[in-house]
Amino acid sequence: MATTVASRSNVAGINLHKDKATTSAPIQPDIPKLELLGLPISPFVRKNIVVLEHKKLPYSFTAIHPFKEKDKLKEYNPLTKIPVLLVDGQPKIESEDINLYLEELAPEPTVYPSTSKLYSTKGPRKWIPFGKNSVNADLEVTAEELSRRIDKEFGPVFGGIFFQRVALPSLGGSTDAKLLAELEEMAFDILRKLEAELAKKKSFYLGKAFSVVDIAYGTWLRQGQLGGFEIDAKQFPSVALYLRRVYSYGGFKKAIKWENQDATISMIKENFTAEFTRPMIEG
């Protein structure tokens, strides 16, 4: 992806906007024109960037700020949320739904591998939503559903840490110190649970196949780190090893390299990760 010049617009010393960028990959005749709208700092945008890069799909990226450019964004998404993927000019919204579309557009390499081998049942089983009367509800889960669950569990915590410490002050607000402390305690609880799970994994979360589950975990834990929350490799060695594996893999490696060229992210890392005892985990 080509490097771009950061916008001059600045709020509280942190630039949350970036001008248009385009990939250098040639347009393939059987692939529609893909344009991703959003901001590099958005975790939901990151999930789509990783999949686009992993599948080596040609696309362009256009920065659009969900707070500063609501009227413009509303033309594509009435909810004024990012990301938006324009497919030959027609919008698709919601990060997971966009990735499902990209999986349909380019099935290989897949990011939605079968999970049937993880369970003791014979063959794939249909997922039963939480709240239904089924003793197997936790077992009957697809990669898509696992990814959505991670968003629901990790997003409010690690995304909340980033919002309180970085985003809110940049928008003229004040950090709620009590809430931030509560979120960080919740983050430690989540990491302790994840550490126990990952200690049993030899490769990626679903086995040998890189998937949207790894993308979800990697995305939210990166967002927490950018928000000044250090993941101590001594305290959570399995988490740290897993993240290095995920961040070094294909599309995620390219996405991180691209993000690190952004002036806003560089400033955030300088201001909020400088006190880490070790460098931020990036691969």
Side-chain angles (χ1 to χ4, degrees):
M1 183 178 296
T3 305
T4 64
V5 179
S7 167
R8 294 181 183 274
S9 59
N10 215 296
V11 180
I14 296 180
N15 170 19
L16 292 178
H17 191 95
K18 188 176 181 181
D19 291 337
K20 187 172 182 178
T22 58
T23 60
S24 57
I27 301 296
Q28 301 173 16
D30 56 338
I31 298 293
K33 181 181 179 182
L34 303 176
E35 181 180 2
L36 188 65
L37 311 181
L39 290 177
I41 197 61
S42 164
F44 295 104
V45 169
R46 181 178 300 125
K47 292 178 70 176
N48 294 147
I49 292 285
V50 173
V51 172
L52 284 161
E53 293 289 350
H54 180 66
K55 292 179 176 292
K56 298 181 180 179
L57 287 165
Y59 69 102
S60 64
F61 178 84
T62 300
I64 187 167
H65 201 294
F67 298 111
K68 299 178 184 178
E69 299 175 278
K70 281 190 174 183
D71 290 341
K72 181 179 178 182
L73 185 57
K74 198 170 185 179
E75 296 176 13
Y76 306 110
N77 184 354
L79 300 177
T80 64
K81 293 183 178 181
I82 55 174
V84 173
L85 179 69
L86 298 181
V87 181
D88 285 337
Q90 298 301 310
K92 292 187 178 294
I93 61 175
E94 208 282 312
S95 185
E96 194 72 39
D97 290 342
I98 290 172
N99 279 343
L100 285 166
Y101 166 75
L102 295 174
E103 178 78 358
E104 181 181 349
L105 182 65
E108 297 296 336
T110 183
V111 287
Y112 290 94
S114 170
T115 58
S116 62
K117 291 183 179 179
L118 298 179
Y119 311 119
S120 59
T121 58
K122 294 181 180 180
R125 301 178 67 185
K126 185 177 180 181
W127 173 69
I128 299 176
F130 283 127
K132 300 294 183 181
N133 294 323
S134 171
V135 294
N136 294 318
D138 282 334
L139 297 181
E140 302 173 12
V141 61
T142 62
E144 174 195 347
E145 180 55 30
L146 281 170
S147 176
R148 292 186 187 275
R149 290 186 189 185
I150 295 165
D151 284 348
K152 291 178 181 178
E153 181 183 6
F154 282 51
V157 177
F158 294 96
I161 289 171
F162 179 87
F163 182 76
Q164 283 294 325
R165 184 172 280 133
V166 180
L168 188 58
S170 78
L171 296 170
S174 300
T175 298
D176 184 329
K178 181 180 178 181
L179 176 57
L180 179 59
E182 291 173 354
L183 288 170
E184 292 193 327
E185 186 56 42
M186 292 171 66
F188 280 116
D189 288 341
I190 288 174
L191 286 179
R192 281 188 279 268
K193 177 182 175 183
L194 186 60
E195 175 69 19
E197 292 179 11
L198 292 177
K200 306 171 186 177
K201 308 289 183 181
K202 296 181 180 180
S203 185
F204 297 112
Y205 195 85
L206 297 181
K208 294 182 179 179
F210 178 76
S211 74
V212 288
V213 178
D214 305 302
I215 294 170
Y217 279 131
T219 288
W220 289 114
L221 294 178
R222 177 168 173 80
Q223 200 72 8
Q225 289 185 93
L226 289 170
F229 180 83
E230 182 173 10
I231 299 174
D232 190 339
K234 291 184 177 180
Q235 187 175 2
F236 303 108
S238 296
V239 173
L241 181 62
Y242 170 74
L243 285 180
R244 291 191 180 99
R245 189 180 302 127
V246 169
Y247 293 156
S248 298
Y249 193 80
F252 224 127
K253 182 177 182 179
K254 292 179 180 178
I256 288 176
K257 182 179 179 180
W258 175 68
E259 283 186 14
N260 285 342
Q261 294 172 352
D262 179 67
T264 299
I265 292 178
S266 295
M267 184 185 300
I268 287 171
K269 289 173 67 175
E270 182 179 347
N271 291 339
F272 296 99
T273 70
E275 295 183 2
F276 285 5
T277 56
R278 295 186 177 185
M280 176 177 167
I281 300 172
E282 294 191 291

